[in-house]
Amino acid sequence: MAEKELLLSVQDLKKQFGEREILKGISFNVNKGDVVCIIGPSGSGKSTLIRCVNFLEQPTDGVIAYCGKNVLETFKNLPLYRTKVGMVFQQFNLFNNMTVLENCMVGQVKVLGKDKETARNTAMKYLEHVGMASYINAKPHQLSGGQKQRVAIARALALEPEVLLMDEPTSALDPEMVGEVLAVMKELADEGLTMVIVTHEMAFARDVSSRVIFIDQGVVAEESSPEEIFSAPKNQRTKDFLSRFNLGK
Amino acid sequence: MATMPDSFFSWVVFLLNEYGGVLIQGAGVTLLLALVGTFIGCVIGLAVGIVQTIPEDPNAGCFKNSLIRGVKAVLSSYVEIFRGTPMIVQAMVVYYGAMSLFDIDMSAMFAGFLVVSINTGAYMAETVRGGIESIDAGQREAAVAIGMDHFQTMRFVVLPQALRNIMPQIGNNLIINIKDTSVLNVISVTELYFASKSAAGVYYRYFEIFFITCIIYFIMTFTASRILRWLESKMDGPKDYQLVEYDPMADPCGHFQVTNKKGR
């Protein structure tokens, strides 16, 4: 396999909320084309970690490097960096005052400065991709959870980011809607989109990801290929955690 | 002069004939003061509210952060002072203060606009701040995550939603202003109350004149509140949407215009 291009590198990331230390020095790398799933028990710091990566939370310490360069030094203004690192939220967070199409256009027009024509075409391309093209006139509150999340994915993709961060994208969904979102995510993974996904969907992590990071109590407890971590976890805490999931093939 | 009116209603009719024009003119001034004052007040309130909600940026320099903090302190003292003193006193201080301190002889009308605007601005600033804070933090995060800065986030995402939520409060302010501009009679602005008082003095028919005045005030406030209700429902937009059944890729510029914004 050819030498992989290093896209994102997190080095010794620490995050404290008041006295409470959530992340106690986390390091990992994301190469171009990687699908990295971050798993771990609730409260282990997974969401905080992914939110630190695009500075929605300010890390207390540590370095986040994009293409080998420290983000805080290279990008004088974070907005530019954030357009390269897309984000999908657990609660979708579609802009309630805009239609589906406008949701997917606003970033392109206002942030990237594209003209409306181009922005519309790009938005339509990705809405088509997630199967929401016929809903362009709907407002977010008129959509189901799964539809909202698919639009949110299209909104993030419309900026054509290098990496897509996903913070528990299916955790707020009714069970019957999880599948449609996972299907879209799998498709994106197959197309080679680089993704970092915080998830509780173990079957998805096992089948789709190229690497799995198990986080517990603010540290990386184990990191390896999905085959290894799901069939022969080394760490006792990983074993305990995974034993709670029934992962019959 | 012929016989004078002898009953309440004949006095009302008589005074309406005599002073209707004056009262209507006064009502016009009242409405003008209230509308302009509320509008400028809203603009001030929006500006102050946006600045008050600028988050501290831990990556920005020390200078920038302390500058923002300084501006915020000035703005919040403005809000506290103008919310914490009566408008009738503010009118006196501004009108006579400008004259004796700075030798500015502003017209009473100008002083009126000034006082109503900055007074409303102080209230609106708090209303806007509340409106902005009522919007789910996820909306702001999503905007930031696609690369918007604070002002873009406010302009395109938060304020359109916050404004809808504070519409009832803007309506409140307009109605309060229609009524409370009456205090400007102390600096002899010829608004409705001033006009009524003058008219009442001629025949000493206070009850009859102020009965008419009362009705005029109510007509103005009631109309204002209905119009605002209508505006609110208009802002809510259509309840339904249309699926785009044809292939949207086929005509990527057509469908956006085809969706008439009303959609009804």
Side-chain angles (χ1 to χ4, degrees), chain A residues 51 58 72 78-79 82-83 89 93-98 101-102 106-107 110-111 117 120-121 124 128 133-138 142 155 159, chain B residues 58-59 136 138-139 141-148 152 156-157 160-161 238-244 247-249 252-253 255-256 259 261:
Chain A
R51 288 165 60 85
Q58 186 64 25
L72 285 185
L78 281 174
R82 289 186 175 122
T83 61
F89 297 88
N93 297 348
L94 290 181
F95 303 133
N96 293 324
N97 55 324
M98 300 178 199
L101 182 59
E102 287 163 345
V106 66
K110 303 299 178 190
V111 181
E117 207 64 37
R120 195 180 293 138
N121 291 345
M124 286 314 301
E128 189 95 323
S134 48
Y135 290 86
I136 50 173
N137 300 325
Q142 294 163 324
R155 176 178 66 182
L159 294 177
Chain B
N59 301 316
D136 178 34
Q139 296 284 309
E141 285 184 355
V144 166
I146 61 169
M148 289 194 192
Q152 287 174 322
F156 300 116
V157 177
Q161 298 179 52
K239 297 267 176 285
D240 60 344
Y241 61 92
Q242 289 159 338
L243 285 184
V244 179
D247 180 5
M249 296 301 283
C253 23
H255 53 76
F256 202 44
T259 45
K261 279 241 158 161

Side-chain angles (χ1 to χ4, degrees), chain A residues 96-168:
Chain A
N96 293 324
N97 55 324
M98 300 178 199
T99 63
V100 164
L101 182 59
E102 287 163 345
N103 260 283
C104 299
M105 281 174 62
V106 66
Q108 299 183 69
V109 174
K110 303 299 178 190
V111 181
L112 299 183
K114 288 194 198 172
D115 65 282
K116 285 198 172 176
E117 207 64 37
T118 321
R120 195 180 293 138
N121 291 345
T122 313
M124 286 314 301
K125 180 174 127 197
Y126 289 106
L127 282 168
E128 189 95 323
H129 204 110
V130 300
M132 288 299 290
S134 48
Y135 290 86
I136 50 173
N137 300 325
K139 285 284 186 72
H141 67 93
Q142 294 163 324
L143 302 178
S144 74
Q147 293 175 325
K148 283 186 205 174
Q149 193 61 299
R150 286 187 282 147
V151 173
I153 291 172
R155 176 178 66 182
L157 292 176
L159 294 177
E160 311 199 302
E162 292 291 325
V163 193
L164 191 58
L165 309 176
M166 297 183 133
D167 183 10
E168 303 201 27

Side-chain angles (χ1 to χ4, degrees), chain B residues 84-148:
Chain B
T85 52
M87 194 155 83
I88 191 166
V89 178
Q90 289 165 14
M92 298 296 253
V93 170
V94 167
Y95 185 56
Y96 294 106
M99 218 177 304
S100 65
L101 278 185
F102 306 108
D103 216 20
I104 303 170
D105 186 10
M106 59 174 99
S107 69
M109 201 59 189
F110 182 80
F113 281 124
L114 195 65
V115 168
V116 177
S117 301
I118 50 184
N119 189 283
T120 310
Y123 280 94
M124 281 306 297
E126 283 302 278
T127 306
V128 169
R129 192 172 63 85
I132 289 173
E133 279 168 11
S134 75
I135 301 303
D136 178 34
Q139 296 284 309
R140 222 167 314 163
E141 285 184 355
V144 166
I146 61 169
M148 289 194 192

Side-chain angles (χ1 to χ4, degrees), chain A residues 1-228:
Chain A
M1 198 185 266
E3 180 77 7
K4 280 195 169 175
E5 187 187 335
L6 179 66
L7 213 51
L8 206 60
S9 154
V10 175
Q11 294 149 26
D12 201 26
L13 184 74
K14 288 181 182 148
K15 176 65 185 174
Q16 239 168 327
F17 287 111
E19 290 293 288
R20 231 169 90 73
E21 193 171 33
I22 305 292
L23 302 178
K24 301 168 185 166
I26 290 197
S27 304
F28 66 91
N29 290 331
V30 180
N31 294 322
K32 203 168 169 63
D34 272 359
V35 176
V36 178
C37 277
I38 300 175
I39 61 171
S42 301
S44 56
K46 305 183 299 294
S47 285
T48 309
L49 169 63
I50 206 160
R51 288 165 60 85
C52 278
V53 171
N54 72 349
F55 295 90
L56 281 179
E57 300 286 355
Q58 186 64 25
T60 316
D61 199 11
V63 172
I64 290 160
Y66 175 77
C67 294
K69 289 171 193 139
N70 185 344
V71 171
L72 285 185
E73 285 166 10
T74 326
F75 292 85
K76 271 285 166 242
N77 55 355
L78 281 174
L80 182 63
Y81 165 70
R82 289 186 175 122
T83 61
K84 311 254 188 223
V85 181
M87 179 88 170
V88 172
F89 297 88
Q90 183 177 357
Q91 299 293 343
F92 331 125
N93 297 348
L94 290 181
F95 303 133
N96 293 324
N97 55 324
M98 300 178 199
T99 63
V100 164
L101 182 59
E102 287 163 345
N103 260 283
C104 299
M105 281 174 62
V106 66
Q108 299 183 69
V109 174
K110 303 299 178 190
V111 181
L112 299 183
K114 288 194 198 172
D115 65 282
K116 285 198 172 176
E117 207 64 37
T118 321
R120 195 180 293 138
N121 291 345
T122 313
M124 286 314 301
K125 180 174 127 197
Y126 289 106
L127 282 168
E128 189 95 323
H129 204 110
V130 300
M132 288 299 290
S134 48
Y135 290 86
I136 50 173
N137 300 325
K139 285 284 186 72
H141 67 93
Q142 294 163 324
L143 302 178
S144 74
Q147 293 175 325
K148 283 186 205 174
Q149 193 61 299
R150 286 187 282 147
V151 173
I153 291 172
R155 176 178 66 182
L157 292 176
L159 294 177
E160 311 199 302
E162 292 291 325
V163 193
L164 191 58
L165 309 176
M166 297 183 133
D167 183 10
E168 303 201 27
T170 57
S171 298
L173 296 176
D174 291 338
E176 82 229 49
M177 294 169 186
V178 171
E180 66 191 56
V181 173
L182 289 182
V184 166
M185 288 161 62
K186 175 154 187 346
E187 213 172 301
L188 294 173
D190 292 343
E191 287 161 16
L193 180 72
T194 315
M195 295 194 275
V196 181
I197 307 168
V198 170
T199 187
H200 287 290
E201 294 293 330
M202 293 306 148
F204 177 84
R206 182 195 60 198
D207 298 338
V208 177
S209 64
S210 52
R211 214 140 34 84
V212 177
I213 299 176
F214 176 71
I215 289 191
D216 190 31
Q217 294 168 13
V219 294
V220 175
E222 191 164 348
E223 174 179 355
S224 61
S225 67
E227 295 80 22
E228 211 164 306

